[in-house]
Amino acid sequence: MLNPRIFLASCAAAALLVSACSKSKAADADAPQTLATDAALPAKTADAAPTTTAELATMDSESGAEPIAVSLEAPTRSEDAVVETPKGPMKVMVVMDSSGSMWGQIDGKSKRDIAREAVRTMVASNPDIGSAGLIAYGHRRKGDCKDIELLRSPGATTPLPDVVDKLVPMGKTPLTAAVETAANAMKIEETRATVILVTDGIETCDADPCAAGASLEARGLDFTAHVIGFGLSADEGRQVACLAEQTGGKYIEASNAGELADALSTVAEAVESGPPEAATATATITGPETVEIGSLFEVSWDGPGADEDYIDLVPPGYTKTHGELSYGYTEDGNPVSMRAPGTPGDYELRYVWNAPQGRTVIANTSIKVVEAAVAIVAQPSIGIGQNLSVKWRGPNNDGDYVDLVPEGYTKTSGEKSYAYTKDGETLKLRAPGTPGAYELRYVAKASDGRKVLKTVPLEVMDARIELAFNPSVTLGKSLVVDWTGPGTDGDYVDIVPRGYKQTSGEKSYAYVSDGNPVELKLPGEPGDYDVRYVLQSADGRTVLKAVPLTLSDIPFGVKPAKASAVVGETFAVEWTGPANDGDYVDIVPRGYKLTSGEKSYTYVKADNPLNIRAPGEPGAYDVRYIFTSSTGRAIKAVAPLTLTAAKATLDAPASVDKGTSFDVAWTGPAYDGDYVDLVPEGYKNTSGELSYGYTTGGPTLTLKAPDKAGAYSLRYVLQAQGGRSVVVTRPISVK
């Protein structure tokens, strides 16, 4: 049987992943390809010329993947894009993580840069690498779970590092959909397949990697997935490790560049040599026969004690090594502390060994969970600031409550957080912002005061906080920040001057509830800033992490088409700037410093050059570029402008009979809205005229004399930015 090996990797993974590829060169396919949705892969012979063929990318409509079609370039020979293993040939596809979290730093260097260097180093030391295809995700759009793209077909000759170097981390982590997209493109039902997933984040697009692993394993002829968690915590790793476990692959943690390279080497060897022989080990576990719901209990163990070995509690007969009800790592000590579930019944305790072939259950024993008169059921640990769900059993008197207090706290006031039992069977308590040992308590209110009826320990753990973004940007519209943190209500990411300590007065901010990544409008001045994650907890606000940001200046400019214009004239202005929402070009009196009260303005979104209309008063003015940022408006460029008075003439009879019509010939600017009117002698307003005609009516207008004899005036009225003004006046007598 044939079976493609699909590699899912972050930027750092790529070179090692393809190190297993054939030494033969293949046809170039460096341009991004599109997937045809209605074509089948035609048969070809080993010596066929390179052609572009299409494969159907079918996928579940709920997978979160964009139903893109992928065009795969056929390699020069069938062996050009395969790895020779003891079991025969396999094709290779690298799927690279370029989500926004790749801006996160490890040892002072962004994961993006670690990835680039790793790829280039590996390709340099393995010059024959190059036949793998490449899919990237999260590299084009922020917040888009469908941002998955085929960039390089299997067998292409464009150097892999050159493609990797062009990727800019930006978006989300649709790793499950990316695996499914690659699997569909490579037709895993027809060829051998291995996925190597190197991810620096967990799934962020509401997909289930565990379910996907099971589905792909069932579909593939000989499908294996290996997972490397790049910078993930142990608990985060558990959320993606099942992708490997479901398919007989490995899960390996890597916390820095060196460990990543070692992990990739291990996995690359596994790809070339095939699955290892199943290793064996023995263990014993000893726990209580019965425990009350929600209670903390201890389990003694004897076994391998390997990294990431753990004891878990599951329903009887449960065979999976994920989705357990409770667990504790053996590396945390012996015995292991565990928390009983809230539903009475029969359960199993298991020793799960992190074996060479993957997680393996090597010991189990039964345990019974029983009811309790007074009980508190909650997870044994929680991150700072997070909301904790608590179930309870108790008398439920009026005024009874469950609270959260520091370990050993004896008072029944001053708690960190609490909720009345009358609020329901499941209560929500917010954890404090300081990690440490705490307690959950059932406090009953009786006639003789409050009494603590039940206490269970709770560990409040420090959270893993990451802020990933481009650390050096120019003045502009916004900064996209990928964040990892508690994500509780009220948490936010802000931008402040470098070293700023307060949790108010920020230059810009966005609540994490707005999504991941968040987008922050940048301040209006270049300089050194900090991007911070601010936790809202039971203790108030706490800055959990600050990452430096350098904001560089950019050129600004305004260049009027003419240095001198006529009042009311519309003229062009070229501008240079970021064109932020709200940026505009205005005209103000010479030396004016405010960013309001302008005589005329036009938003730069209009065009470049843009058109702007001059005010109606002659004099010295400035044309300015006004920059709008999170810190308000700022004047960024100024150019002088002189406005001269408009000229106009009126030619009409010296006198006319009352009630008759007469003609007026005129010359003047003829701007939109200009008109000639007839008013009483000495009249100053530019409304309430007795008769008028717009200059758009032609060079000669017809006006009507009033029915009352007397002295009157003909006027040319200019319509300028900011209002009307009288340019010229001519007397006329009505008889």
Side-chain angles (χ1 to χ4, degrees), residues 253-317:
E253 287 186 3
S255 60
N256 55 48
E259 291 180 4
L260 176 63
D262 292 343
L264 287 171
S265 295
T266 300
V267 172
E269 291 173 3
V271 170
E272 292 179 322
S273 61
E277 293 280 338
T280 60
T282 60
T284 60
I285 50 177
T286 304
E289 292 183 2
T290 62
V291 293
E292 291 185 346
I293 58 172
S295 63
L296 201 67
F297 64 96
E298 293 184 336
V299 179
S300 299
W301 58 270
D302 181 29
D307 288 345
E308 299 175 35
D309 283 10
Y310 59 89
I311 311 297
D312 67 8
L313 186 150
V314 297

Side-chain angles (χ1 to χ4, degrees), residues 297-497:
F297 64 96
E298 293 184 336
V299 179
S300 299
W301 58 270
D302 181 29
D307 288 345
E308 299 175 35
D309 283 10
Y310 59 89
I311 311 297
D312 67 8
L313 186 150
V314 297
Y318 193 81
T319 59
K320 298 177 182 179
T321 53
H322 59 87
E324 50 280 309
L325 299 173
S326 179
Y327 65 90
Y329 288 105
T330 59
E331 63 189 37
D332 292 337
N334 194 354
V336 169
S337 293
M338 300 183 66
R339 179 68 58 83
T343 303
D346 294 324
Y347 295 88
E348 285 184 3
L349 294 171
R350 308 186 306 178
Y351 188 109
V352 182
W353 175 38
N354 187 25
Q357 67 268 21
R359 290 178 175 152
T360 306
V361 177
I362 58 174
N364 66 331
T365 188
S366 61
I367 187 171
K368 190 175 187 67
V369 178
V370 298
E371 273 285 8
V374 179
I376 296 175
V377 181
Q379 60 195 75
S381 61
I382 193 169
I384 54 174
Q386 292 187 331
N387 289 320
L388 177 68
S389 293
V390 181
K391 293 185 178 181
W392 56 271
R393 298 283 190 277
N396 196 22
N397 300 328
D398 287 341
D400 285 10
Y401 59 89
V402 174
D403 67 8
L404 191 160
V405 297
E407 184 180 42
Y409 193 81
T410 59
K411 297 179 181 179
T412 54
S413 61
E415 50 278 309
K416 295 290 184 181
S417 181
Y418 69 92
Y420 289 105
T421 59
K422 291 296 186 184
D423 292 340
E425 294 182 357
T426 301
L427 307 177
K428 296 290 186 182
L429 279 74
R430 174 165 280 194
T434 303
Y438 292 84
E439 293 175 343
L440 293 169
R441 308 185 306 179
Y442 188 108
V443 182
K445 186 176 181 181
S447 59
D448 55 349
R450 300 187 184 115
K451 183 178 180 180
V452 177
L453 299 185
K454 186 77 174 181
T455 299
V456 297
L458 174 71
E459 181 187 6
V460 176
M461 302 180 299
D462 212 353
R464 183 170 77 91
I465 309 298
E466 285 193 8
L467 296 171
F469 54 89
N470 189 343
S472 182
V473 296
T474 57
L475 290 179
K477 300 177 183 178
S478 61
L479 180 72
V480 175
V481 180
D482 191 288
W483 58 269
T484 300
T488 49
D489 291 342
D491 289 8
Y492 60 89
V493 176
D494 66 10
I495 300 177
V496 296

Side-chain angles (χ1 to χ4, degrees), residues 5-132:
R5 291 218 175 225
I6 305 163
F7 282 63
L8 175 61
S10 78
C11 301
L16 274 170
L17 303 185
V18 258
S19 63
C21 300
S22 166
K23 292 181 171 57
S24 301
K25 302 278 188 180
D28 189 10
D30 51 345
Q33 307 294 312
T34 57
L35 249 71
T37 58
D38 57 357
L41 184 65
K44 64 181 180 66
T45 61
D47 58 353
T51 58
T52 299
T53 59
E55 299 188 9
L56 181 62
T58 59
M59 62 191 72
D60 192 318
S61 62
E62 297 180 356
S63 68
E66 185 175 16
I68 60 169
V70 180
S71 173
L72 301 177
E73 179 188 358
T76 303
R77 296 184 300 277
S78 60
E79 67 269 25
D80 282 340
V82 300
V83 175
E84 291 296 338
T85 75
K87 297 177 66 175
M90 62 180 173
K91 292 183 179 179
V92 178
M93 179 76 77
V94 178
V95 184
M96 299 177 63
D97 182 351
S98 190
S99 60
S101 57
M102 288 295 288
W103 283 117
Q105 296 192 350
I106 294 179
D107 298 330
K109 182 177 293 186
S110 74
K111 286 180 274 189
R112 179 197 70 158
D113 291 340
I114 292 173
R116 287 177 171 181
E117 292 176 10
V119 170
R120 198 160 291 282
T121 298
M122 288 305 302
V123 171
S125 60
N126 296 271
D128 293 328
I129 291 172
S131 65

Side-chain angles (χ1 to χ4, degrees), residues 656-660 678 690 705-712 733-735:
V656 294
D657 293 333
K658 61 183 182 179
T660 61
L678 175 67
L690 300 173
D707 294 332
K708 182 180 179 180
Y712 293 86
S733 175
V734 176
K735 299 179 179 179

Side-chain angles (χ1 to χ4, degrees), residues 155-283:
T157 57
T158 302
L160 185 62
D162 291 353
V163 184
V164 172
D165 285 349
K166 296 177 182 178
L167 296 175
V168 178
M170 185 176 298
K172 296 179 79 68
T173 306
L175 63 87
T176 304
V179 174
E180 293 170 337
T181 301
N184 292 328
M186 296 291 284
K187 290 188 176 293
I188 64 170
E189 297 87 351
E190 301 176 8
T191 38
R192 297 182 59 210
T194 292
V195 169
I196 298 180
L197 167 58
V198 180
T199 177
D200 78 317
I202 60 176
E203 173 69 49
T204 61
C205 290
D206 297 324
D208 185 352
C210 300
S215 174
L216 293 173
E217 171 68 8
R219 285 174 48 198
L221 295 183
D222 181 9
F223 184 81
T224 304
H226 300 293
V227 179
I228 299 173
F230 186 23
L232 299 183
S233 68
D235 287 333
E236 289 170 331
R238 295 175 66 82
Q239 299 181 49
V240 293
C242 57
L243 187 59
E245 295 164 2
Q246 293 280 11
T247 60
K250 293 175 176 288
Y251 174 74
I252 305 174
E253 287 186 3
S255 60
N256 55 48
E259 291 180 4
L260 176 63
D262 292 343
L264 287 171
S265 295
T266 300
V267 172
E269 291 173 3
V271 170
E272 292 179 322
S273 61
E277 293 280 338
T280 60
T282 60

